[in-house]
Amino acid sequence: MKAIIIDDERLARAELRKLLLEFPEIEVVDEAANAEEGIRKIDELQPDLIFLDIQMPGKTGFDMLAELERAPQVIFTTAYDEFALRAFEVNALDYLLKPVEPRRLADAIQKLQQGETRELNRQPTEFVNNSILGEADQVFVKDGERCWFVKLSDIRLFESVGNYAKVFFGPNKPLILKSLNALEERLDEKVFFRANRKHIVNLRMIEKIEPYFNGGLLLELKGGEKIEVSRRQTVKFKEMMSF
């Protein structure tokens, strides 16, 4: 897989190139020191992947992506965590904080190998990733000044709040800028079930199932939440669970 490192810091480029020597499946074919140079080299070399800094002289990494005609997969590398929410909103493959830790780089490469791919011909402003999210994948969640990278296997419930979704994990219930419908398209239906118009539940987090009003079911999750399964979805639920 051909890769280009785009970063205005020469030492950062050199360090990342050194770390990538541990991954022979990634071939670093070139480097760029700014967005303009990055655009030119991407057009010329057509890489499969770019490691992209965000804050660079002139144009930012986001500005650069918006000008590309063909967008490769993106792993952001930056010294600042305040851009993480925006990076994940555009479905970047991963977001690595400098100095890049070998373990986090290995996680990103593993995600790449597992087929977290998208159509390269789409406009970068769309950044639509149609791959299904598995239990080992992480989602970025931000609530005010607090941020988490949460494994999907630790999430027991998604609850619709307009164009947002409330994420239930541990004692936390922050919001993410994703609609429930958008989440449902990407979540593995063998693990996450659309119980009703407002809720998607993690089937592995169900503690108790009871009959409920009008032919539906009532699910009690490990966090104590009680979620009604609509009558229509109850039929599907019983089929899935072989009731």
Side-chain angles (χ1 to χ4, degrees):
M1 182 168 283
K2 296 191 300 182
I4 293 177
I5 299 172
I6 304 171
D7 195 314
D8 64 307
E9 299 177 10
R10 181 182 61 81
L11 291 178
R13 297 197 305 272
E15 178 62 22
L16 182 55
R17 183 185 277 268
K18 181 181 177 182
L19 290 174
L20 286 168
L21 291 175
E22 297 295 321
F23 305 93
E25 63 272 32
I26 306 296
E27 178 191 5
V28 179
V29 295
D30 213 335
E31 299 177 5
N34 55 58
E36 292 291 352
E37 187 180 359
I39 291 170
R40 187 167 65 251
K41 292 189 174 182
I42 289 170
D43 288 341
E44 176 187 346
L45 299 171
Q46 296 295 303
D48 306 295
L49 170 69
I50 57 175
F51 292 89
L52 179 61
D53 191 14
I54 294 177
Q55 284 198 322
M56 297 182 288
K59 296 175 181 176
T60 69
F62 293 119
D63 295 334
M64 192 204 80
L65 290 175
E67 294 186 21
L68 291 176
E69 292 185 6
R70 295 172 61 88
Q73 294 193 88
V74 180
I75 295 176
F76 283 109
T77 59
T78 178
Y80 305 95
D81 62 4
E82 65 260 36
F83 301 108
L85 181 59
R86 186 174 175 189
F88 278 84
E89 284 175 356
V90 297
N91 282 331
L93 186 67
D94 214 330
Y95 185 94
L96 307 180
L97 286 174
K98 298 177 185 175
V100 175
E101 297 179 3
R103 180 188 59 80
R104 283 289 294 118
L105 179 60
D107 289 344
I109 300 301
Q110 183 180 28
K111 189 180 295 185
L112 188 68
Q113 292 171 331
Q114 288 173 342
E116 291 271 330
T117 57
R118 60 180 173 79
E119 297 176 57
L120 296 180
N121 292 331
R122 289 186 179 272
Q123 290 294 327
T125 50
E126 293 177 304
F127 266 82
V128 178
N129 189 327
N130 291 322
S131 59
I132 298 299
L133 289 166
E135 278 193 287
D137 285 309
Q138 294 180 325
V139 291
F140 177 78
V141 182
K142 185 175 190 296
D143 184 18
E145 297 301 314
R146 303 180 69 191
C147 302
W148 298 268
F149 286 96
V150 188
K151 278 190 177 182
L152 284 174
S153 58
D154 294 332
I155 295 173
R156 60 185 180 273
L157 176 67
F158 293 96
E159 181 177 86
S160 176
V161 184
N163 290 324
Y164 294 78
K166 187 181 292 186
V167 185
F168 290 69
F169 60 97
N172 307 296
K173 304 175 186 177
L175 291 173
I176 57 173
L177 184 55
K178 288 284 183 185
S179 70
L180 214 61
N181 288 338
L183 284 167
E184 185 180 17
E185 288 176 3
R186 295 198 59 203
L187 293 169
D188 186 347
E189 63 181 8
K190 296 183 182 66
V191 180
F192 289 92
F193 179 73
R194 183 70 177 261
N196 55 55
R197 185 175 57 85
K198 290 196 62 175
H199 298 102
I200 295 175
V201 301
N202 184 338
L203 295 172
R204 295 184 170 96
M205 290 286 185
I206 296 173
E207 194 138 75
K208 187 187 299 183
I209 304 171
E210 298 178 355
Y212 199 58
F213 176 74
N214 205 22
L217 293 171
L218 188 66
L219 309 178
E220 184 172 335
L221 306 185
K222 291 183 179 179
E225 299 85 6
K226 293 186 177 181
I227 306 299
E228 179 185 354
V229 182
S230 68
R231 186 168 61 176
R232 179 180 177 182
Q233 290 299 92
T234 292
V235 175
K236 184 177 178 181
F237 182 82
K238 288 181 175 179
E239 290 174 353
M240 288 179 61
M241 306 300 285
S242 300
F243 276 19

